[in-house]
Amino acid sequence: MHGLRPPTRFFRTLTCGLLSLLLGLSSFAVRAESKGRPLLDVLRELRQAGLNLIFSNAVVGEKLVVTVEPASGEPRALLDEILAPLGLEARDGPGGAVLIVRAAASAEGALRGRVLSAERGKPVVRATVGLSGTELRASTRPDGTFALARIPAGSYDVIVGAPGFSGATVGGVRIPPDTTVELVVTVEAEPSYVEEMIVTPSRHALLREDQTRRLNLGSEDAVLVPTLGGDVSRVVELLPGVAAADNSAAFNVRGSAARDVSMVLDGLELYEPFHLRNFQSPFSLIDAKIVDSIDFLGGGFTADLGDRHGGFVELTTALPESDNRGALELGSVNARVAYGLPTASGSFLASARAWYPEAILGAIELGEEGLKPRFEDLYLKYSRHVSPRMVLSAHGLVAFDRLDYVEPDGAEIVDSNNSSSYLWLRALRSWSPAVFSVSVLSVGRLRRSRLGISEPEDDALIVKDERSVEFLGLKHDLSWQLSDSHLIRTGFDVRPLRSDYRYTIGFRDDPASVTTIRPRPSGTSSAAYIAHRAAVLPGLATELGVRWDTQSYTDDEQFSPRFNAVWRAGERTDLRLGVGQFYQSQRIHELLVEDGETTFRRAELSRQAELTVQHRFRRGPRLRVDAYYRKLSRVHPRYENLFKPLELFPETEADRELVSPARARLRGVELLLRGDPERPLYWWTSYAWSAAEDAVDGRDVPRNWDQTHAGKFLLGYRWGERWSLSLSGSVHTGWPTTPVSGMVVVQPDGSTVIEPVVGPRNTIRYSDYARLDAKASRRFALARGRLRVDIEIVNLTDRRNVCCTDDFTFEELPDGSVVTTPDLDYWLGITPSFNVLWEF
């Protein structure tokens, strides 16, 4: 061995060069004819080219075929190219071996979500969303959504910026492999950015109430509110200034009638948003589980809001979640099925609900033997991102009601059928960074039928009430941001309408008494507005607007100037003012043919002034004080039942009375104190003093729903993501009623009878009202999806709250006086209910 000499440098270089050339030629041969060949054959050739490949037949099956033509000339890189499309990968092993194994899961994820303004909870358009340490960027669409794909797994800071807003950073957002993370980010508007200044007093954002730093927002905030059947209207009823009956989803705002309040769903006003409109409206048509935000406006409406003077409730449906697309809910009051599908270009959402007749009897005061109510509703929404600047959505809402009743011990019969159909297209368009528009094209039809026999006294009356309304609509709103300090808003609304009434009434045993009313009005309701908002001084913004409305079927038009202002008096104190005049036309479907009316009346006029002061304490609680004054003229006459409004045919009852005010006056003061919504202990409490009076025959008469003093509270506690417990309470002054006394009348034959004597209307009150409700929720994580169980108890203390008077009993005393005893009816007693929700 000592005689052997080591190879020279030339020999080593020559040897390596020849070897490289040999391997290169071998790999070229493999590359030139690898596509379409069995993978095993190609791997054997690579072994011959010098790669030490180790694999098993279980991983590299005989049926695997190379699907690509590799571009690399180096055997190791060539191997990676042909394995990747087959779900395989090569890993370096010990001793220079190369192991062929199944590829690991993708190391990339995705991020999608929305950017909302902290003050208004509205989408922020053209905000920039980026991830720290990467070049990944996305801009928000007109609905505030954004999407980032192919993000390497890891933790990032999400950085958001938008013109007119302070930047926001969400730290430590983890992006797991093969997972789409959802995120909602709120951004604070700059003090001078007039677009985001809330100039409207008396505005409440229920599900997104000033949550300026909270990142994960949604309808979970409504989960704490105890509500019968999970109805969205009963969430609103917890606010100060809202009066509502136990058995109805319709409500009165600040002394206004229920018809004075407008409910808007995804940009479309719903003319009749309640089930069983003829019979107390026990539930709304809107599924609370799909609602993302609720904006309640009690007064000081800007020029874009018109044709109602009582209030506006604007509801926005949620975006579907990627991890829980389906939902199935079963409860003691109703059942529900829903499905949501997010896609790269938009989303789809569907929700269907139905109520059980045997359960609903305890939820309405008409819960008598023989009553059979049924109702269902269906909501559909398809949203598509047509371009980065435009979002188009299609919506549909359909509802059906049926109520049958046969009086067991009498002659009363009713057969009622109602249906509501709304279809609309909504386009959100960002024309430029300064110009944004919302357009809604709608069509719909409402049908109501009420047939039967009424027996108010001894004689039976035949009643046939059939009516329908068809409508088209085009609404367009445009905002133009001239600068950070100036904003122009304008728009129009055109609605062609057609209706058909057929009302027949008469005694069953007297065909000659039967009469029929058959009006068929049609026409167009139109509106246009323009408003200018300006930041006139640091912390002071104003909006001056004018609105024009006209209705051809009443030959009437209205002109409404309005002024709003907000003054940021300090870092944590805001003052808002709203004054103006607001008109409300009689809608084409609101003709009171059942009470003999065949012509429409001029629009009501409400002159209003609203003032709101809001202060945010350093440690979290927020105090709000609202004061309002409204003077109504040209008030439409209305018909009311003095003692028992809960009747199948209220227009036939003896206590039916025409209320024809010359004017009305509504005024009040409201206080609302609420805690920090980010903390586990969530609460608010309120007090309201109010007066709602009609001027009738020179006397101020309280309206039926007037409540001088009212207090409400909500207290909820959340244990992480699993448990939540809440209590809500309401107490108010008893509603007004009319006194009745008895008078002894001597008959010609010397006998005596007692005749009732009706006193001045609404001069006495029922006893004070008080109710306590409770709700407990428990969430469970399942192998597929999650489960939530809700248990609710309405009227936890089983208090007997008087609703109305069924009848009167008279007793003559020996001294000739008469004692009158009312036979009272009551609102709901203790009413437990439960719901089981499976999201998957």
Side-chain angles (χ1 to χ4, degrees):
M1 292 182 59
H2 291 285
L4 295 177
R5 299 178 62 183
T8 63
R9 179 179 300 176
F10 172 78
F11 181 77
R12 290 198 304 269
T13 303
L14 180 60
T15 303
C16 290
L18 291 173
L19 182 60
S20 298
L21 178 61
L22 199 60
L23 290 174
L25 291 173
S26 300
S27 63
F28 177 81
V30 172
R31 182 175 71 253
E33 53 185 16
S34 58
K35 184 177 180 181
R37 297 178 58 201
L39 179 61
L40 281 172
D41 292 348
V42 178
L43 294 180
R44 293 189 185 104
E45 292 180 2
L46 287 175
R47 274 180 173 173
Q48 294 174 3
L51 291 181
N52 183 13
L53 301 180
I54 300 176
F55 54 86
S56 69
N57 292 335
V59 175
V60 182
E62 296 181 356
K63 295 183 180 181
L64 290 181
V65 176
V66 177
T67 60
V68 297
E69 200 65 69
S72 176
E74 196 276 320
R76 183 65 174 79
L78 183 150
L79 178 66
D80 291 335
E81 285 189 64
I82 65 175
L83 292 180
L86 301 176
L88 304 175
E89 66 177 354
R91 297 181 184 176
D92 295 330
V98 179
L99 308 177
I100 298 178
V101 297
R102 290 188 175 90
S106 170
E108 293 181 337
L111 176 68
R112 65 188 291 264
R114 302 178 75 192
V115 178
L116 304 174
S117 65
E119 281 288 330
R120 302 169 62 208
K122 299 298 182 182
V124 177
V125 185
R126 295 196 174 188
T128 301
V129 181
L131 301 183
S132 60
T134 73
E135 298 297 324
L136 295 172
R137 296 290 185 273
S139 294
T140 56
R141 308 177 184 102
D143 58 354
T145 61
F146 66 89
L148 288 167
R150 305 195 66 178
I151 304 172
S155 293
Y156 301 89
D157 292 341
V158 178
I159 303 170
V160 179
F165 293 86
S166 301
T169 300
V170 184
V173 176
R174 183 174 175 270
I175 309 294
D178 290 329
T179 302
T180 298
V181 176
E182 297 183 356
L183 184 68
V184 178
V185 183
T186 56
V187 289
E188 295 273 4
E190 297 289 352
S192 62
Y193 191 50
V194 71
E195 165 71 15
E196 287 300 311
M197 289 186 177
I198 301 175
V199 297
T200 306
S202 307
R203 174 187 177 275
H204 294 265
L206 290 184
L207 303 188
R208 302 189 185 281
E209 172 68 27
D210 296 326
Q211 301 181 70
T212 57
R213 293 175 298 278
R214 189 171 178 183
L215 302 176
N216 297 306
L217 306 175
S219 58
E220 287 298 311
D221 295 270
V223 171
L224 288 175
V225 179
T227 58
L228 184 64
D231 195 271
V232 68
S233 293
R234 287 174 169 84
V235 179
V236 178
E237 291 172 5
L238 268 181
L239 288 174
V242 178
D246 282 11
N247 63 333
S248 179
F251 47 83
N252 309 92
V253 177
R254 293 180 171 176
S256 299
R259 63 179 175 83
D260 301 341
V261 181
S262 172
M263 294 189 70
V264 180
L265 176 64
D266 286 337
L268 179 71
E269 181 184 8
L270 306 180
Y271 287 149
E272 292 191 352
F274 304 106
H275 285 290
L276 294 178
R277 188 67 179 85
N278 290 332
F279 306 103
Q280 310 162 44
S281 303
F283 292 97
S284 74
L285 308 184
I286 304 166
D287 181 1
K289 299 295 193 308
I290 63 172
V291 171
D292 180 59
S293 64
I294 306 174
D295 281 348
F296 171 83
L297 296 94
F301 317 121
T302 48
D304 56 307
L305 301 173
D307 207 27
R308 298 289 96 173
H309 58 60
F312 291 83
V313 180
E314 299 178 342
L315 304 107
T316 304
T317 53
L319 294 177
E321 298 181 6
S322 58
D323 57 339
N324 290 286
R325 299 179 178 179
L328 178 63
E329 185 172 13
L330 298 175
S332 56
V333 175
N334 57 18
R336 167 180 171 268
V337 60
Y339 181 77
L341 178 64
T343 66
S345 60
S347 63
F348 172 77
L349 179 65
S351 174
R353 303 184 301 169
W355 278 257
Y356 317 125
E358 62 273 14
I360 207 66
L361 296 183
I364 59 176
E365 289 303 315
L366 288 173
E368 302 179 17
E369 182 183 355
L371 185 69
K372 298 178 181 179
R374 295 179 181 273
F375 42 97
E376 303 87 24
D377 54 64
L378 170 67
Y379 176 77
L380 300 170
K381 180 177 76 170
Y382 174 70
S383 177
R384 182 175 178 82
H385 305 133
V386 179
S387 72
R389 295 187 178 185
M390 183 173 181
V391 176
L392 184 65
S393 57
H395 309 253
L397 177 63
V398 182
F400 301 95
D401 305 338
R402 181 177 177 85
L403 186 142
D404 298 323
Y405 176 71
V406 176
E407 188 178 20
D409 301 323
E412 283 201 333
I413 299 174
V414 67
D415 180 3
S416 176
N417 289 276
N418 298 339
S419 65
S420 303
S421 303
Y422 302 88
L423 299 173
W424 69 103
L425 295 175
R426 189 184 191 198
L428 310 178
R429 178 66 188 262
S430 174
W431 299 92
S432 73
V435 181
F436 182 81
S437 69
V438 181
S439 304
V440 178
L441 177 64
S442 60
V443 61
R445 185 178 187 183
L446 310 177
R447 298 188 65 184
R448 291 165 55 182
S449 173
R450 185 176 51 128
L451 312 175
I453 297 175
S454 174
E455 194 178 32
E457 301 295 338
D458 294 332
D459 296 322
L461 287 170
I462 297 175
V463 177
K464 295 181 180 180
D465 184 2
E466 297 175 307
R467 60 188 74 187
S468 66
V469 60
E470 298 174 349
F471 63 87
L472 297 173
L474 176 60
K475 189 174 187 294
H476 181 75
D477 298 282
L478 179 74
S479 62
W480 181 14
Q481 186 78 39
L482 301 177
S483 68
D484 283 357
S485 301
H486 292 274
L487 172 72
I488 296 291
R489 297 191 302 141
T490 186
F492 65 86
D493 186 3
V494 180
R495 290 174 292 177
L497 305 160
R498 183 175 63 185
S499 62
D500 187 2
Y501 294 82
R502 186 184 183 92
Y503 186 82
T504 301
I505 189 170
F507 291 106
R508 182 178 57 180
D509 299 329
D510 184 7
S513 67
V514 177
T515 60
T516 298
I517 302 174
R518 186 70 188 274
R520 305 179 71 176
S522 62
T524 301
S525 175
S526 305
Y529 73 91
I530 187 170
H532 174 235
R533 184 179 299 182
V536 295
L537 292 172
L540 176 63
T542 62
E543 178 168 319
L544 180 62
V546 292
R547 182 181 179 92
W548 171 81
D549 291 86
T550 181
Q551 303 82 35
S552 64
Y553 58 90
T554 62
D555 194 23
D556 191 15
E557 63 178 351
Q558 306 90 40
F559 181 76
S560 308
R562 304 176 184 185
F563 176 78
N564 295 77
V566 55
W567 175 40
R568 290 176 174 167
E571 182 182 353
R572 297 182 302 278
T573 304
D574 299 335
L575 284 81
R576 293 183 175 87
L577 172 69
V579 294
Q581 61 183 30
F582 308 85
Y583 286 92
Q584 177 170 304
S585 67
Q586 187 175 8
R587 295 283 173 80
I588 203 166
H589 64 282
E590 294 177 338
L591 196 59
L592 302 177
V593 295
E594 64 269 31
D595 290 299
E597 294 197 357
T598 57
T599 59
F600 290 91
R601 299 179 182 274
R602 298 181 63 194
E604 292 182 335
L605 171 60
S606 176
R607 294 183 172 91
Q608 304 181 10
E610 317 274 343
L611 178 65
T612 295
V613 180
Q614 185 167 327
H615 180 74
R616 298 173 292 278
F617 294 98
R618 292 184 180 273
R619 294 188 177 182
R622 304 186 178 199
L623 174 65
R624 174 177 177 144
V625 181
D626 293 270
Y628 64 91
Y629 180 86
R630 302 179 178 182
K631 185 177 181 180
L632 278 65
S633 57
R634 307 198 311 200
V635 182
H636 292 170
R638 63 184 185 273
Y639 292 83
E640 296 177 346
N641 291 71
L642 287 179
F643 304 111
K644 190 173 182 181
L646 313 176
E647 295 286 351
L648 297 171
F649 299 97
E651 71 271 23
T652 66
E653 298 298 322
D655 64 342
R656 188 75 162 175
E657 183 176 274
L658 172 64
V659 180
S660 185
R663 62 187 178 277
R665 186 174 58 167
L666 318 176
R667 60 196 188 278
V669 178
E670 302 163 0
L671 286 81
L672 174 66
L673 182 65
R674 68 180 304 158
D676 188 344
E678 295 185 44
R679 299 190 177 186
L681 182 63
Y682 183 79
W683 59 271
W684 78 54
T685 183
S686 68
Y687 165 77
W689 173 89
S690 62
E693 298 171 326
D694 291 314
V696 181
D697 297 331
R699 184 173 66 90
D700 289 336
V701 181
R703 293 187 163 189
N704 285 356
W705 48 88
D706 175 74
Q707 47 192 40
T708 309
H709 303 282
K712 302 176 183 180
F713 79 89
L714 172 68
L715 178 64
Y717 191 83
R718 292 169 284 206
W719 289 269
E721 297 295 326
R722 294 188 175 184
W723 279 97
S724 66
L725 178 65
S726 58
L727 292 173
S728 68
S730 176
V731 58
H732 63 75
T733 306
W735 286 356
T737 187
T738 300
V740 173
S741 59
M743 179 178 65
V744 178
V745 177
V746 179
Q747 300 294 312
D749 61 359
S751 63
T752 61
V753 296
I754 300 176
E755 293 186 355
V757 178
V758 179
R761 180 173 169 270
N762 284 357
T763 52
I764 62 173
R765 291 181 179 267
Y766 290 122
S767 58
D768 292 344
Y769 174 99
R771 199 182 85 191
L772 181 67
D773 304 334
K775 180 176 182 178
S777 297
R778 175 70 162 91
R779 298 170 180 81
F780 302 87
L782 305 178
R784 182 179 180 184
R786 58 195 179 196
L787 191 72
R788 194 182 82 209
V789 179
D790 297 333
I791 298 176
E792 298 173 296
I793 303 177
V794 174
N795 197 1
L796 184 64
T797 61
D798 200 21
R799 177 184 169 91
R800 287 165 63 86
N801 292 301
V802 179
C803 78
C804 45
T805 303
D806 187 44
D807 205 346
F808 293 91
T809 301
F810 303 98
E811 180 182 359
E812 182 182 359
L813 299 181
D815 61 0
S817 62
V818 178
V819 175
T820 305
T821 304
D823 181 11
L824 301 177
D825 277 351
Y826 299 89
W827 295 124
L828 294 177
I830 184 170
T831 307
S833 63
F834 72 89
N835 289 77
V836 178
L837 173 63
W838 177 35
E839 297 175 305
F840 54 91

